[in-house]
Amino acid sequence: MIYLKTDEEIELLRENNLLVSRTLAEVGKYIKPGVSTAELDRVAEEFIRSHGAVPAFLGYQGYPAATCISVNEVVVHGIPSEKCILKEGDIVSVDIGTFMKGFVGDSAYTFAVGEVADEVRQLMTVTKEALYRGTARAKAGNRVGDISAAVQEYAEKFGYGVVRELEGHGLGRKMHEDPGVPNYGARGRGPLLKEGMVICIEPMITLGNKAVVCERDGWTIRTRDRKAAAHYEFAVAIRKGGPDILTDYTIIENNL
Ligand code: MF3
Ligand code: CO
């Protein structure tokens, strides 16, 4: 079931995703060699609660933290830990959710810890660009497959792997609504995009093979070959004038 949102509901989703953007920017200030991912999770949870929201991930299907923090070969759903200490050259995907005023915010950004290798820097750049290429196709009258194909075609041009096991999703009163938004697929296929739909597009792109495994903790998804992966996610409303991005990466990037 796909829920179309009114303009007022889209504004509440924007408020949530702006708070997620500001939380990502706040966490970004602490991303340095020597910090633990548990410390970053505390910064995020405190920021979210002090702005009148609750962390949407905490307790979701039993998830134990406010954020997912995924370092290097961890693609998504890394559980923050005191034992996971960032070091120079790492990349770290921070994925944050909020719940406020009946709606959910859900966005992610991959940060570099100090200087990273050129090939890893390019993986980050291409993954973010794939997100923007997909977003450009998020228009009424197009289909989900138009977004998926745009993400896949761009990432694969560089020889990267496109993770198949996880995908983007509708966003609203619930974090995961229909439709699913895969990062691979064919133009002209899949559900029709309509005005009022809000979706999260979230490419997960790997430097090596696309295969992933789930760790024994039941959450952590990492690449099978242990090569790095990047992950960016934002929320997009499909509107009369075209895609309306509800997350604000400029808040994060002005701080980097
Ligand atoms: N941002 C992820 C997603 O889009 C989230 C969450 S996993 C959770 O699906 F279980 F931690 F919530
Ligand atoms: Co999501």
Side-chain angles (χ1 to χ4, degrees):
M1 170 86 182
I2 294 176
Y3 297 98
L4 300 180
K5 277 80 185 181
T6 63
D7 288 354
E8 291 73 24
E9 290 172 327
I10 290 173
E11 290 318 305
L12 294 174
L13 282 160
R14 192 191 312 279
E15 272 189 55
N16 270 280
N17 284 287
L18 282 179
L19 177 56
V20 174
S21 311
R22 293 170 62 202
T23 311
L24 286 166
E26 181 67 15
V27 169
K29 293 184 199 164
Y30 293 81
I31 294 183
K32 292 195 173 79
V35 74
S36 74
T37 57
E39 175 64 18
L40 300 178
D41 186 73
R42 284 191 289 273
V43 168
E45 179 164 3
E46 161 83 23
F47 194 86
I48 291 166
R49 291 192 190 281
S50 70
H51 289 82
V54 295
F57 297 176
L58 188 63
Y60 181 88
Q61 294 179 3
Y63 187 73
T67 62
C68 298
I69 305 189
S70 306
V71 181
N72 297 336
E73 72 270 21
V74 179
V75 184
V76 286
H77 301 172
I79 302 173
S81 160
E82 307 290 352
K83 281 181 246 169
C84 183
I85 312 281
L86 300 183
K87 58 182 194 310
E88 179 86 14
D90 285 345
I91 60 169
V92 52
S93 153
V94 181
D95 191 348
I96 295 180
T98 60
F99 182 77
M100 161 173 86
K101 302 183 185 176
F103 287 85
V104 177
D106 179 16
S107 311
Y109 196 89
T110 298
F111 296 87
V113 184
E115 290 293 312
V116 305
D118 287 348
E119 64 165 7
V120 176
R121 176 60 72 179
Q122 186 192 257
L123 172 71
M124 295 169 68
T125 307
V126 169
T127 304
K128 190 163 61 157
E129 177 61 20
L131 170 56
Y132 284 112
R133 301 247 172 159
T135 302
R137 302 272 168 252
K139 290 183 183 163
N142 278 358
R143 291 183 179 272
V144 168
D146 294 305
I147 298 172
S148 306
V151 170
Q152 179 182 17
E153 284 166 17
Y154 188 69
E156 287 183 348
K157 239 197 282 196
F158 294 83
Y160 295 148
V162 177
V163 173
R164 301 296 201 266
E165 287 82 352
L166 300 117
E167 61 185 20
H169 49 89
L171 184 74
R173 293 185 180 276
K174 292 270 156 60
M175 180 158 56
H176 294 136
E177 293 186 358
D178 289 336
V181 183
N183 295 304
Y184 68 100
R187 284 171 194 252
R189 302 291 186 89
L192 185 64
L193 299 173
K194 295 183 181 166
E195 261 175 52
M197 284 176 63
V198 176
I199 54 173
C200 284
I201 307 176
E202 47 178 318
M204 288 154 263
I205 307 297
T206 67
L207 204 49
N209 192 273
K210 65 179 181 295
V212 296
V213 296
C214 185
E215 301 270 24
R216 303 263 288 274
D217 61 19
W219 282 103
T220 309
I221 306 286
R222 67 159 171 87
T223 56
R224 195 178 60 194
D225 63 12
R226 297 187 188 271
K227 292 197 176 164
H231 170 228
Y232 293 82
E233 170 178 22
F234 57 44
V236 184
I238 288 141
R239 311 199 78 172
K240 212 180 245 86
D244 180 4
I245 303 171
L246 305 181
T247 304
D248 189 355
Y249 276 180
T250 65
I251 302 173
I252 304 165
E253 289 168 354
N254 286 341
N255 252 312
L256 291 179

